[in-house]
Amino acid sequence: MRKIILMMSVSLDGFIEGPERQLDWHRVDDELHMHFNDEIRSMGGLLEGRVTYELMAGVWPTAEADPASTAPMRDFARIWLDMPKFVFSRTLERADWNTTIVREVVPEEIRALKARPGGDLVVGGPDLAAAFLRHDLVDEFRVYVHPVLIGRGKPLFPPSDAIVPLRLTESRAFGNGVVLLRYERAA
């Protein structure tokens, strides 16, 4: 059965975006971008919230033709366009680029999606990730810690009374100071 992987960048003080939704503190250079491309390319689909989907749809469909795009950006544009996407939204009317609209996070439906053949699924977007965490649907965490303190913003993990034991399966430092911490649920 494929896994659901929460893959998210976070500041050292635990925020995934600033108080005004800023992401300008991300330290994504070509090395890290190529790593992201390789990781996403191996997946079976992207699970995105509406806001994340709309942000991605505002950039990646035209990035390949944009002369300002780097080679890793052009590569990611092709990956994103071709990748099956499931966008969770109660309001989105239509979606393009290999995208299926899903209205609610229903645990039984997510488990059925996991049981389908194919590669693992990546959940993205802070609100959708929080919903998957509330329903105990995340199998693996790939947290990219950026070497910056931003002081305020949206935390990666919402408050919870649950204790979820994890096992470190990988750590990797990139040249720009970002550190990947990869955890799976402990048996």
Side-chain angles (χ1 to χ4, degrees):
M1 181 176 294
R2 53 191 182 170
K3 296 184 287 187
I4 292 181
I5 300 168
L6 188 152
M7 189 171 163
M8 196 80 66
S9 288
V10 63
S11 64
L12 181 59
D13 50 353
F15 299 104
I16 57 175
E17 62 186 21
E20 304 297 321
R21 304 194 85 147
Q22 306 96 315
L23 299 175
D24 56 348
W25 51 268
H26 283 197
R27 304 290 191 259
V28 181
D29 59 6
D30 282 353
E31 176 195 19
L32 185 57
H33 207 299
M34 288 185 294
H35 166 80
F36 288 152
N37 291 358
D38 291 341
E39 294 295 302
I40 298 295
R41 186 185 340 270
S42 71
M43 297 298 161
L46 302 174
L47 309 170
E48 299 178 337
R50 180 192 53 81
V51 173
T52 298
Y53 172 78
E54 288 177 340
L55 287 171
M56 302 292 270
V59 174
W60 299 114
T62 59
E64 194 171 10
D66 185 343
S69 292
T70 64
M73 290 171 71
R74 287 189 299 275
D75 184 34
F76 185 78
R78 289 185 294 274
I79 295 166
W80 188 84
L81 289 168
D82 292 342
M83 180 69 56
K85 290 169 281 300
F86 300 87
V87 60
F88 290 76
S89 172
R90 293 182 193 105
T91 59
L92 195 63
E93 295 294 324
R94 65 183 292 273
D96 296 314
W97 308 292
N98 203 13
T99 303
T100 301
I101 297 173
V102 181
R103 295 294 176 205
E104 300 283 339
V105 176
V106 178
E108 296 77 25
E109 292 175 8
I110 302 303
R111 287 185 196 96
L113 181 62
K114 283 177 59 173
R116 291 184 193 170
D120 293 334
L121 304 165
V122 175
V123 62
D127 296 329
L128 184 62
F132 273 66
L133 289 167
R134 271 193 311 278
H135 291 295
D136 198 29
L137 294 168
V138 177
D139 302 301
E140 182 179 315
F141 300 83
R142 295 182 191 177
V143 179
Y144 294 83
V145 181
H146 291 248
V148 61
L149 302 170
I150 64 172
R152 295 181 293 123
K154 183 172 272 200
L156 172 57
F157 297 107
S160 171
D161 292 328
I163 296 174
V164 181
L166 303 172
R167 179 176 56 85
L168 180 67
T169 59
E170 179 184 3
S171 63
R172 175 180 172 184
F174 294 88
N176 62 4
V178 171
V179 175
L180 162 62
L181 298 172
R182 183 175 172 182
Y183 294 93
E184 292 180 347
R185 291 178 168 275

